[in-house]
Amino acid sequence: MSDAGYRDPTAPVEARVRDLLPRMTLREKAGQLNQRMYGWDAYRRTPDGGFELTEALYAETDRFEGLGALYGLQRADAWSGVDHGNGPGARDGAALAELVQRHVVDRSRLGIPALFVEEVPHGLMALDGTVLPVNLSVGATWDPELYERAAAHAAAELRARGGHVALVSALDIVRDPRWGRTEECFGEDPYLAGRLTEALVRGMQGACPDGLFAADKAPVVLKHFAGQGATVGGRNSAESELGLRELHEIHLPAARAGLRAGAAAVMAAYNEVDGMPCSGNRALLTGLLRKEWGFDGLVMADGLAVDRLARITGDKVTAGALALDSGVDLSLWDEGFTHLEEAVERGLVSEGTLDAAVARVLRLKFRLGLFERRDTTAPAPAGGAELSKQLARAAVTLLRNDGVLPVAGNAVRIAVLGPQAATTAHQSGDYTAPQRPGSGSSVLDALRRLAPPGLDIRHAPGCALTGTDLSGIPAAIAEAAASDLAVLVLGGSSARTPDTEFDANGAALRAVSEMTCGEGVDLAQLRLGAAQYALLDAVVATGTPTAVVLVQGRPHVVPDTGSALLTAWYPGPWGGEAIAEVLLGLAEPTGRLPVSVPRSAAQLPVYYNHKDTEYGGYVDESAEPAYGFGHGLSYTSFAYGEPRPTGRTVEVEVTNTGERHGRSVVQVYLRRLITSTWPRTLELCAFEGVGLAPGESRTVVVRLGADQLAGADVAEIRVAESARAALTAVPLTLDLRS
């Protein structure tokens, strides 16, 4: 078959797809749409330290005379059971991928290679992969350029290990922080999420000259499409009670931004929208995504989401047919898509629909050059730890400060307390591979290493993350009472352990050990472990100034009793160093809140961009959040001049009026005055970070996008340092009717 046109690397991608597709049998076509296996079941370690392929892989490739895609060949975690003793690391991951790919191609009559699909939620989820801060931390940076560089690094690591396709959370919007997957969101605002999604796509995929991916770039599957962040009660995979306006204004803009940036694929979410699960929602996947938006890329179903459709179709054969006909191209672990040959023969779905999906899978394989370069990988990139640390440092957000930070020169004794102070195990969030011993840095270790000579660092944990054991609190009280400053590091954990009970899709069935966040770990309240509150009260009661540091995957409710409060979210393995640098004043706190922090779960929802309706507060509690969207303090101060409009841009002069270098984030909000539908109180429509030396002034020019202004006849532009400050900022009125 050497004269086959699809084998010609100089031929256009579309010509190669058109040549290959008619050569395939119905069985081979169905196989290209299946991603049934777990990748870690495809291999085993040999006594000599190498790898051998398993009978399970042989059976899977024989079943469809090849393999469409393989999920998680490099995945390592408690669910897969892969660790440093039995899984592929940086040195041998590429060799394993080559071994599997050679087998797949040899078993394929037409020599069609497989797509290797990997999780890249915050860095490559593989042994020795660089762990980045979670998305909520990335949202706190308000720095798309920095994130783009980190995303490019993650893509290069993926390709260096022989992987091809990156699954990346980006589209979910926080509307209820009780949801355990809040850490996977960029925040509560669609514009901020859209800017970061664009950066993600640009970084991971690159420019794609001639439509082809460079050897160090990877096609992105953006997940989850759509509305999963609006699940009722913050419960994972629950229904989403969304009207079309809420769906389009809040939950679709990030997807639209990512697709305009060139994203290769999206993942259909678990939730339903208006009664129809996303994986079977033709109006969403075909009507909107393909016909209205013109998307011609790949749609993947979330894990086992196709089989869930059997609840409404009656069996898994019809479930697979419904998903394919609705617009799903590639399944994930489902049985339903293994019956597509039967579904076509029974007339449940047309072969033309099957061909269209197969063409999209083949097109991606050609764009990756898999038919020509299946045995080659990109070189492993360097500098991942430094990029991770830069993101972590940029995300540290100072919420409150009575002047105790940065650590003053007259402080000679610091008590470093709390369950998060001396560990890196709970800094990295869910979807994190096992780390080698000694990797990363805890807050305590970093403070001891970075502290100036003469600064005495003392330590006592005080309590655990969860539970009610108070036996360690007296030792913490003693250390705090004998110190000039207490640094109390509290928070939560998404760390999976071998005793975690997993659902069939990898979600936690119940929280075990110290898990308080992550997929399947939803909270009715937003409280930390009970002993942590007792520890906070006891340390503050000593009278020693106390700086509270939160390491967390969602905003928790913490009393404002300390002298300072900062959050680092889940900052990754090197987050302890980033936190220590900010505490000591070696780095400035530059983060801004990507979500509002509620006073209690009873307030929910508390997002800033609610409808501009005159509803009252509560009798027993304020309806305002403890800290609002966009808030973040600095060790210096800034003054804003009056905004000036220039066409589609707004100019504002920003001055550093303090004594230290700092970074301000100029936030531009829209308040619609005359519009065809009831408006929201405020909508973020642009932002720009600016770093200034003491006394320096600079004119910041911020461009307003047409999408952000659409639908408004008369509107106000308000420029401020946070959403709450924007409510009282001097408005700039725009008449957009002409």
Side-chain angles (χ1 to χ4, degrees):
M1 207 174 294
S2 59
D3 61 341
Y6 73 89
R7 294 188 178 277
D8 180 3
T10 66
V13 167
E14 292 305 318
R16 300 177 77 179
V17 172
R18 287 195 301 269
D19 180 77
L20 176 55
L21 192 57
R23 300 174 185 267
M24 300 173 68
T25 66
L26 189 58
R27 181 183 178 194
E28 289 169 331
K29 292 175 182 177
Q32 287 301 300
L33 306 188
N34 272 278
Q35 191 175 199
R36 175 73 169 163
M37 277 195 78
Y38 299 125
W40 52 90
D41 289 335
Y43 68 89
R44 68 174 69 91
R45 277 281 187 189
T46 57
D48 62 0
F51 293 103
E52 63 182 8
L53 304 183
T54 63
E55 292 299 324
L57 178 63
Y58 296 154
E60 191 69 10
T61 49
D62 286 346
R63 186 179 190 182
F64 294 108
E65 298 182 7
L67 196 65
L70 182 64
Y71 169 92
L73 183 64
Q74 309 280 341
R75 178 168 177 162
D77 64 341
W79 179 42
S80 64
V82 176
D83 56 28
H84 290 286
N86 60 10
R91 292 183 177 181
D92 51 12
L96 173 61
E98 180 182 337
L99 180 66
V100 175
Q101 191 70 285
R102 283 183 180 275
H103 168 76
V104 171
V105 173
D106 288 345
R107 292 296 177 100
S108 169
R109 180 179 63 90
L110 297 168
I112 303 174
L115 288 171
F116 293 153
V117 180
E118 299 291 346
E119 297 281 3
V120 192
H122 47 101
L124 176 62
M125 189 185 175
L127 299 173
D128 304 322
T130 299
V131 180
L132 302 173
V134 298
N135 278 7
L136 202 58
S137 289
V138 172
T141 71
W142 291 59
D143 193 338
E145 291 75 20
L146 175 58
Y147 183 47
E148 183 174 337
R149 296 199 298 274
H153 180 91
E157 280 195 350
L158 170 68
R159 297 302 304 276
R161 298 280 285 269
H164 306 133
V165 178
L167 304 182
V168 188
S169 295
L171 309 184
D172 300 329
I173 305 296
V174 181
R175 301 312 262 179
D176 190 330
R178 292 176 296 177
W179 187 36
R181 303 188 77 169
T182 292
E183 65 188 76
E184 298 181 42
C185 306
F186 289 129
E188 70 184 39
D189 181 77
Y191 178 75
L192 176 62
R195 288 282 303 276
L196 292 167
T197 301
E198 291 170 345
L200 164 69
V201 174
R202 288 194 301 264
M204 297 203 79
Q205 295 192 172
C208 293
D210 301 322
L212 305 179
F213 291 98
D216 62 346
K217 298 297 181 183
V220 173
V221 180
L222 298 176
K223 57 182 190 178
H224 306 87
F225 189 77
Q228 187 166 259
T231 54
V232 172
R235 288 170 291 175
N236 196 43
S237 300
E239 68 269 21
S240 298
E241 295 181 345
L242 286 171
L244 286 178
R245 182 183 172 199
E246 189 76 6
L247 178 68
H248 281 265
E249 290 184 359
I250 300 298
H251 298 279
L252 291 178
R256 191 82 162 112
L259 298 185
R260 285 174 172 170
V266 298
M267 176 179 281
Y270 285 126
N271 60 281
E272 53 88 4
V273 175
D274 197 24
M276 180 56 71
C278 293
S279 57
N281 196 321
R282 183 172 177 81
L284 181 70
L285 300 181
T286 297
L288 174 70
L289 187 61
R290 299 213 184 276
K291 293 183 178 179
E292 186 175 333
W293 288 2
F295 177 64
D296 61 357
L298 197 70
V299 174
M300 182 188 298
D302 207 342
L304 298 173
V306 171
D307 285 353
R308 292 186 183 191
L309 296 176
R311 174 64 178 82
I312 58 176
T313 67
D315 59 52
K316 292 179 180 179
V317 179
T318 51
L322 173 61
L324 181 67
D325 196 53
S326 297
V328 172
D329 301 310
L330 187 63
S331 72
L332 183 58
W333 317 323
D334 290 288
E335 181 186 335
F337 262 34
T338 68
H339 300 294
L340 287 180
E341 183 179 3
E342 176 187 348
V344 171
E345 291 172 343
R346 288 173 52 186
L348 299 174
V349 66
S350 72
E351 188 168 359
T353 299
L354 178 71
D355 285 353
V358 175
R360 285 188 278 268
V361 172
L362 295 176
R363 187 177 296 120
L364 189 57
K365 293 181 177 183
F366 283 122
R367 291 183 65 194
L368 280 161
L370 299 189
F371 285 79
E372 293 76 51
R373 303 194 303 268
R374 66 176 184 271
D375 296 336
T376 62
T377 57
E386 181 57 33
L387 273 171
S388 182
K389 193 189 307 179
Q390 288 179 27
L391 274 174
R393 187 185 297 123
V396 175
T397 307
L398 183 63
L399 301 178
R400 182 169 177 268
N401 187 16
D402 288 350
V404 300
L405 296 179
V407 175
N410 57 358
V412 295
R413 294 179 301 275
I414 296 180
V416 184
L417 313 169
Q420 288 279 30
T423 178
T424 60
H426 307 294
Q427 291 181 175
S428 294
D430 204 357
Y431 285 86
T432 298
Q435 300 297 292
R436 293 191 183 275
S439 62
S441 175
S442 70
V443 175
L444 177 64
D445 288 342
L447 282 172
R448 284 175 169 164
R449 187 173 65 255
L450 299 174
L455 186 60
D456 181 17
I457 305 292
R458 306 172 175 209
H459 169 62
C463 67
L465 286 172
T466 55
T468 58
D469 184 359
L470 309 182
S471 60
I473 292 182
I477 292 174
E479 296 292 1
S483 299
D484 302 301
L485 174 69
V487 174
L488 183 55
V489 193
L490 308 174
S493 176
S494 299
R496 307 294 184 95
T497 60
D499 62 338
T500 304
E501 292 184 24
F502 294 102
D503 204 344
N505 66 350
L509 279 175
R510 65 182 181 88
V512 297
S513 186
E514 296 177 299
M515 284 187 71
T516 59
C517 201
E519 185 175 4
V521 187
D522 310 316
L523 296 180
Q525 302 293 329
L526 292 173
R527 294 181 59 80
L528 302 171
Q532 294 194 60
Y533 291 102
L535 176 63
L536 171 61
D537 291 343
V539 171
V540 170
T542 66
T544 299
T546 302
V548 178
V549 178
L550 296 174
V551 176
Q552 55 185 352
R554 56 155 66 88
H556 284 94
V557 175
V558 178
D560 243 345
T561 53
S563 304
L565 175 65
L566 59 83
T567 179
W569 308 111
Y570 286 144
W574 297 274
E577 187 164 334
I579 293 167
E581 289 174 346
V582 171
L583 292 172
L584 294 171
L586 303 176
E588 303 298 310
T590 59
R592 300 294 184 270
L593 284 178
V595 290
S596 301
V597 177
R599 299 173 189 272
S600 73
Q603 287 182 298
L604 298 176
V606 293
Y607 40 78
Y608 86 96
N609 51 0
H610 54 77
K611 304 291 176 58
D612 194 13
T613 304
E614 295 181 3
Y615 57 83
Y618 300 106
V619 173
D620 58 342
E621 187 173 49
S622 169
E624 294 297 317
Y627 299 99
F629 177 79
H631 172 71
L633 302 177
S634 176
Y635 290 153
T636 187
S637 56
F638 299 93
Y640 283 28
E642 289 192 15
R644 303 181 299 275
T646 307
R648 289 281 184 177
T649 65
V650 174
E651 297 181 357
V652 62
E653 187 174 89
V654 183
T655 303
N656 183 338
T657 56
E659 299 179 353
R660 295 175 62 106
H661 184 280
R663 177 179 185 262
S664 183
V665 178
V666 178
Q667 302 170 34
V668 183
Y669 292 90
L670 180 75
R671 183 171 184 268
R672 301 172 189 269
L673 299 181
I674 299 178
T675 180
S676 58
T677 56
W678 200 272
R680 299 180 186 278
T681 301
L682 290 173
E683 300 169 54
L684 182 70
C685 61
F687 64 88
E688 189 72 35
V690 54
L692 297 172
E696 182 182 2
S697 295
R698 190 178 306 169
T699 298
V700 178
V701 180
V702 183
R703 179 170 296 278
L704 306 178
D707 285 354
Q708 282 67 54
L709 300 177
D713 294 330
V714 178
E716 290 177 348
I717 295 293
R718 297 178 179 229
V719 181
E721 294 182 271
S722 70
R724 182 174 292 178
L727 291 172
T728 57
V730 176
L732 176 67
T733 303
L734 298 178
D735 191 334
L736 303 171
R737 290 174 291 191
S738 57

